[in-house]
Amino acid sequence: MIFCVAYSKSLIVRFATILLTLPVIFSVAADKLLVAASWEKPPYIIPQDHSGFEIELITEVFNDLDHGVNFVYMPYKQSVEMLQRKQADVTLTLNNLSGINSKYLSDVYVLYQNAALSLKNKNLPIQNIQNLSKYSVVGFQSASDVLGADFAEAIQKNKLYIEIADQTQQLSLLLKGEVDVIIIDLNIFHYLSVKLTGSDQFDKVTVHPLFSPSRYSAGFKDIVLMKQFNQALGKYVSSGRYTVLKARYNFKDIQPVIKRFPID
């Protein structure tokens, strides 16, 4: 059973504000591309100052194409719907499970390393996705939509599975021992654990590498613009700027995942 935790009042207010201001965004910034992104996912997306790996990457690649960008942040499913309704020029962090025709998806621009994490002192014998049905599990928002059919089937049977938008809360629940397992990207875990506790917390957790790395594209309203983006992205990567940006955000290839699922 999938139970999504209700958004806090502040999130609801933020989303309502977005809906009310969209007409203003369209009219004031008609010369800029409107890019829809998910709520905060540091170090990938940090709405407060329009930073994060994905935000900076997309901004720089479009700058190379002489396009300005305006970002609007919202729940994942709403960002997909904006593109489907052609209200956004681009939506970030999509794959072939997002409900967008693949011909409108760009080349892959970012890779997430999602895994199941449990506390080492619990010594949980989690060897496969099906084992998750035995434990209380907290997934990130829309995990059941993007992590594949096996995961969706396994957690559908789990009455102790929930999804939450606030990944800081995910990490807090795990470290306090209030939940058995969290499903989270490992670079997000690293970033948030340092932010919350002052140090990396990987020594306290077991990383269960149940998922292959998730490759994400950007979705486009216009195929011509997508092809231009792909060309500019290729030049950006080959120039070494992509590697520099990864280093700026201290991205890591976490060994338990990479050992089982080598990156091409």
Side-chain angles (χ1 to χ4, degrees):
M1 179 177 68
I2 303 172
F3 176 71
C4 295
V5 173
Y7 298 117
S8 67
K9 182 180 293 185
S10 62
L11 285 178
I12 294 172
V13 170
R14 285 164 59 191
F15 187 48
T17 301
I18 288 169
L19 294 178
L20 290 172
T21 57
L22 279 178
V24 177
I25 293 173
F26 287 135
S27 61
V28 172
D31 58 331
K32 292 187 176 183
L33 298 172
L34 184 64
V35 180
S38 297
W39 288 135
E40 185 173 14
K41 292 191 298 183
Y44 299 96
I45 297 173
I46 306 173
Q48 291 86 345
D49 57 359
H50 299 301
S51 65
F53 179 82
E54 292 188 59
I55 301 301
E56 290 197 37
L57 171 65
I58 295 300
T59 299
E60 291 178 9
V61 172
F62 277 126
N63 282 346
D64 291 345
L65 292 170
D66 295 323
H67 286 299
V69 292
N70 273 337
F71 292 97
V72 60
Y73 306 93
M74 62 192 65
Y76 170 79
K77 290 184 179 179
Q78 277 72 24
S79 71
V80 175
E81 290 170 0
M82 276 198 71
L83 184 64
Q84 292 172 330
R85 294 193 297 263
K86 300 187 183 300
Q87 292 176 331
D89 296 297
V90 182
T91 290
L92 303 186
T93 329
L94 303 181
N95 62 17
N96 59 1
L97 299 176
S98 301
I100 300 296
N101 190 316
S102 60
K103 71 179 182 180
Y104 292 99
L105 296 179
S106 74
D107 292 341
V108 171
Y109 72 87
V110 67
L111 182 147
Y112 280 51
Q113 298 172 70
N114 292 302
L117 272 61
S118 65
L119 291 178
K120 280 185 179 178
N121 60 19
K122 289 192 175 184
N123 196 29
L124 300 184
I126 299 173
Q127 302 296 325
N128 54 57
I129 290 174
Q130 288 70 33
N131 292 154
L132 295 175
S133 63
K134 305 175 185 177
Y135 306 107
S136 57
V137 181
V138 178
F140 57 87
Q141 183 191 31
S142 298
S144 55
D145 295 325
V146 301
L147 291 180
D150 289 345
F151 178 71
E153 182 179 354
I155 55 88
Q156 186 69 39
K157 302 173 183 176
N158 187 345
K159 295 182 179 181
L160 298 178
Y161 178 81
I162 64 172
E163 293 180 356
I164 58 178
D166 184 354
Q167 295 196 266
T168 301
Q169 187 179 359
Q170 266 189 297
L171 188 142
S172 179
L173 289 169
L174 179 68
L175 295 181
K176 291 178 181 178
E178 295 177 3
V179 66
D180 294 324
V181 180
I182 63 172
I183 309 298
I184 194 169
D185 168 78
L186 298 180
N187 279 305
I188 292 178
F189 179 84
H190 169 74
Y191 181 96
L192 290 178
S193 64
V194 171
K195 181 179 178 180
L196 289 177
T197 70
S199 62
D200 192 311
Q201 298 294 305
F202 274 113
D203 61 331
K204 296 181 180 178
V205 302
T206 298
V207 177
H208 308 279
L210 306 182
F211 313 101
S212 61
S214 299
R215 293 161 168 79
Y216 287 108
S217 304
F220 281 76
K221 179 172 68 175
D222 181 76
I223 290 180
V224 173
L225 179 62
M226 182 193 70
K227 292 179 178 179
Q228 294 172 347
F229 174 86
N230 286 343
Q231 291 181 340
L233 176 64
K235 293 178 181 178
Y236 185 90
V237 172
S238 62
S239 72
R241 293 161 66 193
Y242 189 91
T243 301
V244 170
L245 188 61
K246 284 180 64 177
R248 187 185 308 164
Y249 284 97
N250 198 26
F251 274 21
K252 302 178 183 297
D253 292 334
I254 311 299
Q255 287 308 307
V257 170
I258 302 308
K259 182 178 180 180
R260 181 171 178 182
F261 302 104
I263 299 175
D264 297 333

